[in-house]
Amino acid sequence: MAKKLWEKAGTVNPEIEKFTVGKDRELDLMLAPYDILGSIAHSTMLRSIGMLTNEETESLHRELREIYTLTESGDFCIEEGVEDVHSQVELMLTRKLGDTGKKIHSGRSRNDQVLLDLKLFIRHELQQVCHDTKELFDRLIEKSNRHRNILMPGYTHLQVAMPSSFGLWFGAYAESLTDDMLFLKAAYCMCNRNPLGSAAGYGSSFPLDRSMTTNLMGFDSMNYNVVYAQMGRGKCERNVAYALAGVAGTLAKMAFDACLFNSQNFGFIKLPAECTTGSSIMPHKKNPDVFELLRAKCNRLQAIPTDITLIMNNLPSGYFRDLQIIKEVFLPAFEELKNCLSMAAYIIERIEVNEHILDDSRYDPMFSVEEVNRLAAEGLPFRDAYKKVGLDIEAGTFIADKEIHHTHEGSIGNLCNDSISTLMQSIYDSMNFEKAITAEKALLGRI
Ligand code: ARG
């Protein structure tokens, strides 16, 4: 069995080892590409301060890039007896390069290494989440524009309230995603600061050039204070999880609306038969399981910030192994949300809307406010108009005029979808993903 990085004369109790390593050997695989990128930047910096020769640095880069391709092909693994991704990469370098491999850990600790891996991982995953969110946004805006003239009932207290439209319904979820995108942007900015060089949490006596690694990895700036850099573990994940929860909240609400509107009692939307699932006993069933699962998954995603808070709450400053457990709840969240986003975009496109909902007279009373407003515009005081229409409804003499005229910004007749799209695009563009992507390519020697 391979020795631990920190093992000296004695050996570790296997029960303790199993418990402390936990799920790291599996979860750290997600961090592997980023661990390698960090090592390329770190070794470049070590050369600049005279801790590595040119030849040593070049051989390290060659090996690290080789290991990176293993992570791409799925052939990278953390061997039996090796604790984590950091140990595995160092072991592979040392097997290949001997003493040169053993030099790479100068001036760093696994504490800042895992902080860095997480930040680079989050940065990459957030780029995809933002992209997928924008895709869903575009689908919703398209759908809203296409069905802008089709009316549907709007509800308060789940009681028929006022006329609404499919333009408003789809567009509302699009605009909700613009606010969610703002949180994603804040999360991206927060994780786009370099913690490398904070070492175990208190810096190093080597004259590390932290500005250099910051630039090499395309970070916006660094977490300057080394104690704060370590305090960012847990805080960063929690805040990112809040940003993911924002998107998940929008999806869960939309999914619930869709389940409701798809029910026969509403009949506002329909899914094509191949997008529904059947029942083992009731031959007529065409169930909207896709929306139910979206709802459940997205509701569960919203619990993650709380999970993280409970793990890290009340820890004093400095590293603790508690922080390792956050990876278990946090790392899989990205894949889950990305799956939900792409399924939501897929299914939104396929929703069929009922263009004749309002032919049913049960919805007639929702035009009462239109009539009150019409009378008020003609000069009747609003309260008198309200009373007259109310009495007509009770007497059964109210006749709904379904020609409606809503013109103000954001209303049925003036959705402002172009303004909403401009807002979304400007938040998306301001994140400037290209900077990080270019820096990572350069580290891999791919430009
Ligand atoms: N697996 C550890 C984690 O995720 C890596 C850092 C280990 N550091 C330590 N001091 N034991 O936190």
Side-chain angles (χ1 to χ4, degrees), residues 148 168 406-417 419-420:
R148 65 192 323 140
L168 276 178
H406 290 206
T407 55
H408 68 75
E409 297 95 328
S411 66
I412 296 174
N414 182 9
L415 295 172
C416 296
N417 282 346
S419 306
I420 296 171

Side-chain angles (χ1 to χ4, degrees), residues 146-321:
R146 197 176 327 146
H147 301 302
R148 65 192 323 140
N149 295 322
I150 302 176
L151 296 183
M152 68 191 287
Y155 292 81
T156 65
H157 309 266
L158 261 189
Q159 305 287 306
V160 172
M162 282 184 67
S164 181
S165 70
F166 282 103
L168 276 178
W169 184 60
F170 287 114
Y173 286 104
E175 188 170 349
S176 180
L177 291 175
T178 65
D179 276 344
D180 301 334
M181 189 63 94
L182 265 184
F183 264 55
L184 291 172
K185 179 183 172 181
Y188 189 78
C189 293
M190 186 180 174
C191 79
N192 206 7
R193 296 175 196 264
N194 179 20
L196 187 67
S198 57
Y202 300 94
S204 164
S205 58
F206 293 120
L208 305 176
D209 186 348
R210 298 191 63 209
S211 297
M212 182 178 193
T213 52
T214 300
N215 292 331
L216 283 172
M217 290 184 280
F219 281 114
D220 283 341
S221 66
M222 64 184 89
N223 290 132
Y224 292 96
N225 182 309
V226 290
V227 173
Y228 177 63
Q230 180 57 61
M231 271 159 60
R233 180 97 187 262
K235 177 178 176 179
C236 180
E237 293 99 303
R238 186 198 61 207
N239 288 343
V240 171
Y242 269 120
L244 302 184
V247 180
T250 297
L251 291 188
K253 199 186 243 322
M254 184 174 79
F256 199 163
D257 269 0
C259 287
L260 200 64
F261 295 167
N262 180 68
S263 148
Q264 291 87 348
N265 296 77
F266 284 77
F268 298 171
I269 60 170
K270 225 175 105 192
L271 287 178
E274 88 264 12
C275 293
T276 61
T277 56
S279 151
S280 60
I281 175 172
M282 298 166 281
H284 65 286
K285 289 305 279 300
K286 291 196 170 46
N287 295 324
D289 292 24
V290 58
F291 287 121
E292 294 163 17
L293 290 168
L294 270 176
R295 179 172 58 194
K297 283 165 179 278
C298 287
N299 281 334
R300 191 175 58 178
L301 280 166
Q302 290 172 82
I304 296 178
T306 311
D307 265 356
I308 297 176
T309 302
L310 290 176
I311 296 167
M312 60 167 239
N313 221 17
N314 306 325
L315 290 182
S317 58
Y319 176 83
F320 294 94
R321 199 70 181 263

Side-chain angles (χ1 to χ4, degrees), residues 24 28 84 86 109-111 114 233 319-321 323-324 327:
D24 257 18
D28 274 12
D84 51 29
H86 327 294
S109 148
R110 281 183 299 166
N111 292 356
V114 63
R233 180 97 187 262
Y319 176 83
F320 294 94
R321 199 70 181 263
L323 299 165
Q324 174 173 300
K327 292 191 287 196

